[in-house]
Amino acid sequence: MSFKTLMLAASATAMIAAGASAETLRWARAGDALTLDPHAQNEGPTSAMAHQIMETLVMRDHSGALVPSLATEWAPSEENPNVWVFKLREGVTFHDGAEFDSEDVVFSLNRAMTPDSDYKELLASVKEVRAPDKYTVEIETDGPNPIMPNNLTNMFMMDKDWAEANNAVKVQDYEGGEDTFAAKNANGTGPYKLVSREPDVKTVLAANENYWGKDEFPLQVTEIIYTPIQNAATRVAALLSGEVDFIQDVPVQDLARVAGTDGLDVRTAPQNRVIFFGMNMGDADLSSDNVDGKNPLADVRVRQAMSKAINRDAIQQVVMRGQSAPAGMISPPFVNGWDADMDASSSTDIEGAKALMAEAGYPDGFSLTLNCPNDRYINDEAICQAAVGMLAQIGITVNLDAKPKAQHFPLINNLETDFYMLGWGVPTYDSEYIFNFLVHSKGEKYGSWNGTRYSNPELDAKIVALASETDLPARDQQIGDIWQVVQDEQLYIPIHHQVLNWGMKSGVGTIVEPEDSPKIKYFEMN
């Protein structure tokens, strides 16, 4: 469906609903947004909350299509192929009434490129952002960047004056434990305004009566009450009792129960996300193992053995009850560069794994700590518990340390974990995003989520070159070459592709989107 068609349909729906009474959506999921600072944490629930309050130049609709938002059109400059030109929507205001214009875009993108930003990799090729006039923005990159608009779908716009007035020019140092005004307050252009926020307890949003899109989207939800409910049984009980209307993560063991309840629906779709384990292969010694003076994870044979010890089919059948797809690479099938043969390459081979361990000099194994979140991914702690037993079969004694995501993620960012679980979605639908964050050496512009300590200057150069390669077949070949190194080096241990199961009252009208980021302005309430 074209954007114009989608907008006409949405407008018609909005007119039909114009006389309807106010509708509150009580929304829950396992974890809260980590912060309201729009550039501090590139994390799913954090972005999902931000999308209700703030907006981006371009966005993905519920079908995953790239559509206009604060920019109405964009294209490479006719004069300079290194420049993307964005024409901004006129007449847009922030929640405090301030006008949105190109000055705010320049400020926001420059802010997102600073060291504490968790989005800097997406703008690593940018040389300059400038505003030739009030409603035009030019983004100049180091060589032509064919996918720049794709990189902006979660790049939220802030009001420059508001940031300056509230000491919010600098991005919150989330990993360093910093608390700021922007972490708890927000002033966006989005369809909903922040009313109140109690982190990890409740966030209340109200409809923005001056929203530019009020004639273009259903906007039938006039109030959002968001409640993080970490405990799976409690979350389901809240849906069954009518305490909440919509939960994003129905536990797999409760799918039939929810689906079989009158007035409730389970809606399912494959997610644009892979779950995997990362390993510290770069340090000379590990802090959490029992091997003195060396790092067993530095040996690719050990990493390969650990991957062979993981029984992905058992995890799919027993832990996930069929609600996953075993993975052999850390790319979802949605993504340019995904390869069916690579994704089918992971296999369980206990005897082969033992042989590799012995060959690497660890016939009796070793011990190691696995850091795992317990409120972020579907059955995250249960997957880690299953892996503990599987790795024990090849002599690796794993001590499981499961924590809420707010404590877990800084361990990865601060290089304080030797073995960890992570999940990765790809909002750009292109492998460059994976490489920039997870494969490139950790540094000023790249590698912020690369907790492996892996560093390969030659591979880094190939990753950086992707941003300016406009010959798409040649670019795809380069992507394939980089994936081959990732696979050969066993940089990560892929586990599975997640499946989304949203549970909701039958009258809540929405589709499940691959990003797991509901945009409630599209919701219809019947």
Side-chain angles (χ1 to χ4, degrees):
M1 183 182 291
S2 71
F3 178 69
K4 183 177 180 182
T5 305
L6 177 68
M7 292 299 97
L8 288 172
S11 179
T13 306
M15 287 188 285
I16 292 168
S21 60
E23 292 281 2
T24 295
L25 180 76
R26 295 164 298 175
W27 169 27
R29 70 188 300 177
D32 199 3
L34 295 171
T35 176
L36 293 184
D37 187 314
H39 305 134
Q41 282 291 286
N42 181 9
E43 189 258 352
T46 303
S47 294
M49 176 64 73
H51 270 293
Q52 317 314 321
I53 304 168
M54 298 184 171
E55 293 184 297
T56 55
L57 296 180
V58 299
M59 64 173 279
R60 294 196 185 277
D61 66 15
H62 262 172
S63 73
L66 205 63
V67 296
S69 184
L70 290 176
T72 56
E73 56 184 283
W74 53 91
S77 165
E78 294 181 3
E79 291 80 26
N80 184 348
N82 296 355
V83 174
W84 277 90
V85 180
F86 293 80
K87 296 294 184 181
L88 304 185
R89 190 177 299 277
E90 299 185 25
V92 176
T93 58
F94 287 94
H95 295 158
D96 65 358
E99 185 180 10
F100 163 78
D101 61 26
S102 56
E103 183 180 65
D104 301 307
V105 178
V106 173
F107 167 77
S108 298
L109 294 180
N110 282 327
R111 186 180 192 268
M113 287 190 280
T114 58
D116 284 327
S117 168
D118 216 17
Y119 289 87
K120 56 186 177 291
E121 284 86 344
L122 287 160
L123 301 172
S125 68
V126 174
K127 290 177 64 177
E128 184 185 10
V129 184
R130 52 184 178 262
D133 61 53
K134 192 172 182 179
Y135 296 110
T136 304
V137 171
E138 295 178 348
I139 301 177
E140 182 173 356
T141 54
D142 187 11
N145 188 323
I147 65 165
M148 178 52 68
N150 301 53
N151 289 355
L152 301 177
T153 57
N154 284 333
M155 201 70 66
F156 298 100
M157 297 296 116
M158 296 179 73
D159 178 14
K160 178 176 181 285
D161 293 337
W162 180 89
E164 291 174 345
N166 292 290
N167 195 29
V169 171
K170 179 184 174 297
V171 177
Q172 174 197 13
D173 178 7
Y174 182 86
E175 287 80 16
E178 184 181 22
D179 191 17
T180 64
F181 185 83
K184 302 185 293 293
N185 299 273
N187 179 36
T189 62
Y192 298 97
K193 302 185 293 187
L194 181 67
V195 174
S196 64
R197 176 160 170 80
E198 299 173 75
D200 297 319
V201 178
K202 183 170 71 171
T203 300
V204 179
L205 309 177
N208 173 13
E209 62 275 11
N210 297 316
Y211 183 51
W212 63 265
K214 61 186 177 182
D215 296 324
E216 298 188 14
F217 301 94
L219 292 169
Q220 292 183 11
V221 173
T222 54
E223 180 186 46
I224 299 169
I225 300 175
Y226 176 81
T227 309
I229 306 175
Q230 181 180 351
N231 182 272
T234 306
R235 193 163 62 250
V236 170
L239 181 64
L240 293 172
S241 69
E243 184 182 339
V244 300
D245 307 309
F246 166 48
I247 64 175
Q248 269 180 264
D249 30 29
V250 181
V252 293
Q253 65 269 22
D254 292 309
L255 289 171
R257 184 181 176 201
V258 173
T261 299
D262 287 344
L264 295 180
D265 293 344
V266 172
R267 299 180 196 159
T268 298
Q271 187 180 4
N272 180 5
R273 182 173 302 280
V274 183
I275 305 300
F276 53 89
F277 292 135
M279 299 159 285
N280 174 4
M281 65 186 73
D283 285 353
D285 197 6
L286 302 181
S287 60
S288 69
D289 69 350
N290 64 344
V291 179
D292 291 332
K294 59 191 300 190
N295 176 358
L297 300 180
D299 193 314
V300 67
R301 294 168 294 187
V302 171
R303 303 195 297 271
Q304 291 169 340
M306 292 170 70
S307 181
K308 288 179 180 295
I310 301 297
N311 188 330
R312 293 160 183 82
D313 292 332
I315 290 173
Q316 178 194 40
Q317 294 160 18
V318 179
V319 180
M320 303 303 293
R321 304 198 184 193
Q323 297 296 303
S324 67
M329 64 186 300
I330 58 165
S331 169
F334 297 89
V335 172
N336 177 48
W338 175 81
D339 182 273
D341 290 337
M342 286 185 182
D343 204 30
S345 63
S346 293
S347 59
T348 307
D349 180 1
I350 298 300
E351 293 309 312
K354 288 179 178 178
L356 283 169
M357 290 287 287
E359 191 179 312
Y362 302 98
D364 300 321
F366 51 88
S367 65
L368 189 66
T369 295
L370 170 60
N371 296 106
C372 187
N374 58 15
D375 64 348
R376 175 59 188 100
Y377 311 115
I378 302 168
N379 282 345
D380 41 18
E381 186 173 1
I383 295 166
C384 290
Q385 288 170 341
V388 169
M390 293 168 183
L391 290 166
Q393 295 181 77
I394 63 170
I396 299 178
T397 301
V398 177
N399 305 303
L400 178 58
D401 183 10
K403 289 184 172 71
K405 63 179 184 176
Q407 286 82 55
H408 175 72
F409 288 143
L411 298 176
I412 301 171
N413 294 130
N414 294 332
L415 302 180
E416 295 172 351
T417 172
D418 294 327
F419 186 30
Y420 58 90
M421 171 182 274
L422 186 60
W424 203 249
V426 188
T428 65
Y429 289 58
D430 187 86
S431 289
E432 183 187 337
Y433 182 88
I434 302 171
F435 301 151
N436 283 353
F437 283 93
L438 299 174
V439 179
H440 192 289
S441 303
K442 190 177 180 73
E444 186 177 331
K445 286 188 171 185
Y446 297 91
S448 60
W449 285 88
N450 181 358
T452 69
R453 289 73 152 177
Y454 176 79
S455 180
N456 181 333
E458 182 180 343
L459 199 65
D460 289 348
K462 290 181 178 179
I463 291 169
V464 171
L466 290 175
S468 57
E469 179 54 76
T470 55
D471 181 337
L472 296 185
R475 185 175 184 275
D476 288 344
Q477 180 61 52
Q478 291 171 20
I479 286 172
D481 293 344
I482 295 168
W483 273 120
Q484 195 60 58
V485 175
V486 172
Q487 297 296 97
D488 290 346
E489 294 282 354
Q490 193 78 59
L491 293 192
Y492 295 95
I493 299 175
I495 304 298
H496 59 231
H497 306 288
Q498 279 197 161
V499 173
L500 293 175
N501 292 290
W502 288 4
M504 63 196 74
K505 289 185 175 178
S506 300
V508 177
T510 184
I511 61 172
V512 181
E513 59 169 281
E515 299 302 306
D516 198 24
S517 180
K519 297 176 182 67
I520 293 170
K521 67 182 180 182
Y522 285 108
F523 279 36
E524 298 177 6
M525 306 292 282
N526 301 310

